[in-house]
Amino acid sequence: MKAMGLNPYLPYWENMPDGEPHVFGERIYIFGSHDRAGGSAFCVEDYACWSAPTDDLGNWRYEGIIYGKMQDPINGAPYSGEIPPYDNAFAGQGPHLLYAPDVARGPDGRYYLYYSLDFTNIISVAVCDTPAGKYEFLAYVTRPDGSRPNVGRWFDPAILSEESGNYLYYGFCPPARFPGMEELEIPGGMAVRLADDMHTIVSEPVCTARGCDTAEGTDYAEHPFFEASSIRHYGEWYYLVYSSLQGHELCYGMSENPEGPFSYRGVLHSNGDIGYRGNRKATNYMGNNHGGLVKIGEEYYIFGHRHTHGTSFSRQGVAERIEMQEDGTFLQAEQTSCGLNGGPLPAKRLYPSYIACHLTERDREKVGKVVMTGPEGGELILPETMPYITEEECGETEKGIRPYVCNMQAGAVCGFKYLEFAGDEQSIMLQVRGKGKMEACLDLPEGDSIGETEFSSEGWAWSRIAIHGICGVHGLYFRVAEGKCDFTAFEVRGTAAGSGL
């Protein structure tokens, strides 16, 4: 029996953003950064890998740690070669961290892992005989003489290896220059060709997508390239996916040439659903986004990530099926709780609240970006009215943690799309703690109530909402009518019998 495909698609305890999906053989592999739950910085863990059968996208397998930050010679690993000059302006007390990677199968059949250590302005390469084995450091990306072009920031690499050649994409285009970037030319996203050794640059950089310095008056003006290059080749088209200066969205350009230029074509995914069918109000607290396209069978999917703990630093991978048009363009994907499931989730099941794809407070205008910095660089402080996903210790659950939605105050809404009701469901059980009243709504977060429940408990307790006559596929939303609560699970039942939990 196939497992359900939920969002996030990996277990709750795994914080793997920047996911690059690749099909090798009959499995899909996810390569990404690695955050720490409740962390205060990006990408503090080593690279892990997960994979799933291409015909069972809910059945993910942990492949283990495939590469560690201490394997890079910049962090002290043994190396007989010469380390190119690199930036060290933001060096902290510890080693440089592993930022977003990508992997490709090279001309020799081996697998090449590309990454940049934080703030170094250099791209490293590791290699392995299998997609999810233990990678070993190979070399730095340079010209034959050991230099590299001083155009574009060497950051967020993406790699394409095909019969026409090997193409490396990179770039970081902030609106303000960081230390060490004052004199750097940054036209946008960049690309170079590599020799078959997969690390020697054999061409001059070309601009693939325009950044904020060059986007004015072009199709990129409203969505200039910021970071997060990702590249795919489907049919006659090359697709360059990137994170725009908006931050929360993954955009894309198309070209018939791997070196571009890529014409801007639109938004693929927003972790606040901004732009989906004209939507202008965030359906979730938004933050940076990074991911890629993948074709599995005849279907296309876009992978990205969302944020937990109310901050930028505990991100989890999400994925959605995306529709290609006859001309090769894509429609923007909707953010759902059932992205890889191939359809809606069956209503009569027990579901954790952390798969919510909608989470807002009463004043929708306050639903904006997650917290990234504290006052004067100090402790991160969340807004008092902000609901967010977090976890607590619990000896009865996987990895000893219980995830839940925290701080749901009056007017807060937690939503799930989509569930398929059979018509014989009689109740919805909510596992909550706190004191107040919760309403259930269908299809819209501000929709009419289909039932409500009052609760008052200092610990986790089940509370019942009676329902009847609901048929078909619906979004299900829970809205706090009064009081304040935490929310960890819900179960739709066909009878009023006890939960048996």
Side-chain angles (χ1 to χ4, degrees):
M1 183 176 179
K2 293 183 178 181
M4 287 191 299
L6 303 174
N7 269 332
Y9 53 87
L10 299 181
Y12 173 78
W13 50 264
E14 183 61 285
N15 293 265
M16 204 170 106
D18 307 328
E20 282 288 359
H22 291 286
V23 174
F24 298 126
E26 296 182 353
R27 298 187 71 83
I28 176 174
Y29 294 83
I30 296 295
F31 305 92
S33 305
H34 206 177
D35 287 350
R36 180 176 299 161
S40 57
F42 296 117
C43 312
V44 297
E45 304 289 358
D46 292 332
Y47 288 145
C49 181
W50 289 75
S51 73
T54 53
D55 61 354
D56 191 1
L57 298 180
N59 187 15
W60 290 91
R61 181 177 75 196
Y62 179 57
E63 302 286 359
I65 298 298
I66 60 171
Y67 191 75
K69 63 180 75 69
M70 302 309 296
Q71 291 180 246
D72 193 294
I74 288 176
N75 283 335
Y79 183 51
S80 59
E82 183 176 348
I83 300 176
Y86 62 92
D87 292 353
N88 213 26
F90 289 95
Q93 298 299 314
H96 288 277
L97 303 177
L98 294 167
Y99 275 8
D102 195 14
V103 168
R105 188 171 187 265
D108 60 358
R110 296 194 295 171
Y111 296 84
Y112 291 84
L113 170 71
Y114 292 77
Y115 64 92
S116 60
L117 293 174
D118 61 350
F119 306 115
T120 58
N121 194 30
I122 194 169
I123 289 174
S124 306
V125 189
V127 66
C128 185
D129 290 336
T130 61
K134 302 298 183 182
Y135 284 77
E136 298 294 336
F137 180 83
L138 176 65
Y140 296 102
V141 173
T142 66
R143 294 181 174 123
D145 64 1
S147 67
R148 61 189 182 280
N150 192 34
V151 180
R153 185 76 177 176
W154 294 85
F155 181 77
D156 277 359
I159 184 67
L160 175 69
S161 181
E162 59 180 18
E163 187 175 347
S164 68
N166 310 300
Y167 305 91
L168 178 70
Y169 303 78
Y170 66 96
F172 176 54
C173 301
R177 296 290 192 264
F178 296 159
M181 298 173 61
E182 294 87 352
E183 305 301 322
L184 184 63
E185 182 182 350
I186 311 180
M190 308 300 297
V192 293
R193 282 184 284 120
L194 301 180
D196 282 349
D197 65 9
M198 300 299 283
H199 61 83
T200 300
I201 299 170
V202 294
S203 72
E204 290 303 306
V206 293
C207 183
T208 55
R210 294 179 179 271
C212 54
D213 288 357
T214 61
E216 186 175 351
T218 76
D219 290 343
Y220 286 89
E222 298 299 319
H223 307 270
F225 179 97
F226 178 51
E227 59 183 4
S229 295
S230 178
I231 187 70
R232 296 294 185 272
H233 183 191
Y234 297 125
E236 64 183 295
W237 294 106
Y238 292 86
Y239 295 86
L240 180 72
V241 178
Y242 69 93
S243 178
S244 79
L245 201 58
Q246 306 286 352
H248 57 86
E249 63 185 17
L250 293 178
C251 301
Y252 76 113
M254 294 170 61
S255 175
E256 293 181 299
N257 188 313
E259 295 177 279
F262 288 78
S263 298
Y264 176 81
R265 284 292 182 263
V267 177
L268 297 172
H269 178 262
S270 161
N271 53 35
D273 260 355
I274 298 295
Y276 177 73
R277 294 185 176 177
N279 176 55
R280 296 183 178 275
K281 289 186 177 180
T283 61
N284 218 324
Y285 296 86
M286 303 176 293
N288 68 345
N289 209 346
H290 188 153
L293 280 167
V294 68
K295 183 179 183 182
I296 304 175
E298 297 303 315
E299 301 288 350
Y300 293 88
Y301 298 85
I302 179 67
F303 282 65
H305 61 241
R306 68 160 193 189
H307 301 72
T308 64
H309 295 78
T311 76
S312 293
F313 306 115
S314 302
R315 300 163 294 172
Q316 296 176 326
V318 295
E320 302 290 353
R321 189 163 54 181
I322 190 166
E323 184 178 348
M324 178 187 278
Q325 306 299 287
E326 290 185 4
D327 62 357
T329 61
F330 288 96
L331 299 177
Q332 181 175 341
E334 180 182 19
Q335 190 161 251
T336 73
S337 302
C338 56
L340 294 177
N341 198 54
L345 304 172
K348 279 184 285 191
R349 293 287 295 267
L350 173 68
Y351 292 104
S353 63
Y354 75 79
I355 69 169
C357 60
H358 178 110
L359 186 59
T360 57
E361 59 187 279
R362 179 192 293 275
D363 185 351
R364 290 288 295 276
E365 299 302 321
K366 292 183 178 180
V367 181
K369 296 291 183 70
V370 292
V371 176
M372 188 171 178
T373 59
E376 299 182 354
E379 180 183 358
L380 302 177
I381 300 175
L382 304 186
E384 292 184 359
T385 55
M386 178 185 188
Y388 57 95
I389 296 169
T390 186
E391 71 281 328
E392 64 186 15
E393 292 185 4
C394 178
E396 301 175 356
T397 60
E398 185 182 19
K399 297 290 184 178
I401 58 172
R402 182 201 306 272
Y404 65 99
V405 179
C406 178
N407 195 38
M408 291 188 68
Q409 302 181 32
V413 178
C414 186
F416 307 84
K417 295 182 292 187
Y418 289 94
L419 301 178
E420 186 166 15
F421 291 81
D424 59 352
E425 293 84 2
Q426 297 183 27
S427 65
I428 303 173
M429 302 296 296
L430 302 179
Q431 193 174 22
V432 294
R433 67 182 175 196
K435 183 175 182 180
K437 180 188 295 185
M438 189 91 86
E439 300 173 318
C441 311
L442 292 183
D443 301 324
L444 295 171
E446 64 276 8
D448 293 336
S449 172
I450 59 169
E452 63 183 39
T453 184
E454 294 188 19
F455 49 85
S456 180
S457 175
E458 293 184 0
W460 294 110
W462 288 93
S463 190
R464 180 176 183 269
I465 298 176
I467 61 172
H468 68 278
I470 300 175
C471 295
V473 177
H474 298 277
L476 179 61
Y477 297 85
F478 298 107
R479 182 173 61 214
V480 180
E482 299 174 8
K484 179 181 177 181
C485 71
D486 299 330
F487 170 35
T488 189
F490 71 97
E491 183 181 11
V492 181
R493 300 184 190 157
T495 69
S499 72
L501 299 174

